[in-house]
Amino acid sequence: AQKVTQAQTEISVVEKEDVTLDCVYETRDTTYYLFWYKQPPSGELVFLIRRNSFDEQNEISGRYSWNFQKSTSSFNFTITASQVVDSAVYFCALSGRETSGSRLTFGEGTQLTVNP
Amino acid sequence: DGGITQSPKYLFRKEGQNVTLSCEQNLNHDAMYWYRQDPGQGLRLIYYSQIVNDFQKGDIAEGYSVSREKKESFPLTVTSAQKNPTAFYLCASSISGIASVFEQFFGPGTRLTVL
């Protein structure tokens, strides 16, 4: 079975603070993929990043960065110098290629509120 | 512009009625998916389709039905057998790969309320 845990239900920060959203996953597959999505108040999920299990290199995209550590089964997401527009629900998702094909297993999400 | 459209945005249904939610994509993706999202929760997979004329049940398929007669279209019917259909429904599509799993792109969603 696959599982994604986002232990932080809600996070509230003040603008310009850095914030890290945690994601811990479980899978028995040797080949798997991890994703992060953003869901603003409008409701539509916006794709942020895809990472496969063989690529542990951290990635940075503007104010966003991701830390993938297979040793701890974590794929954490950091927003640097947060802005009010970052307020949204963020979902981490997992797909094990052998057991689930293209199906995604989502975490429960973390509600991020950035206050001015 | 390429993307996924869902209609209607809001839908109200009386108990005992079937309703159909529309999902159309012009991304030329082979795979399409339907998810249900309840307040404060993650997404749960209802049905998915990897190719035209074929689809599989997801984790919560009971009370729902789908069809995939065209590549661009994957309508979802919420039947009267679905006991608690009030939720936010999201449609997604992706490239279908044998050796890889690709990101899914989502539509704007349909909010269904049973009166």
Side-chain angles (χ1 to χ4, degrees), chain A residues 33 37 39 50 101-103, chain B residues 33 37 59 100-101 103-104:
Chain A
Y33 296 80
Y37 285 86
Q39 186 177 39
R50 164 182 173 265
S102 63
R103 297 174 53 152
Chain B
Y33 312 82
Q37 185 180 25
D59 300 316
S100 188
V101 176
E103 58 271 21
Q104 296 178 18

Side-chain angles (χ1 to χ4, degrees), chain B residues 43-63:
Chain B
L43 280 69
R44 293 183 290 169
L45 183 65
I46 304 172
Y47 269 98
Y48 65 107
S49 168
Q50 303 275 46
I51 198 168
V52 175
N53 292 322
D54 188 41
F55 49 83
Q56 287 79 41
K57 292 181 179 180
D59 300 316
I60 55 165
E62 186 175 350

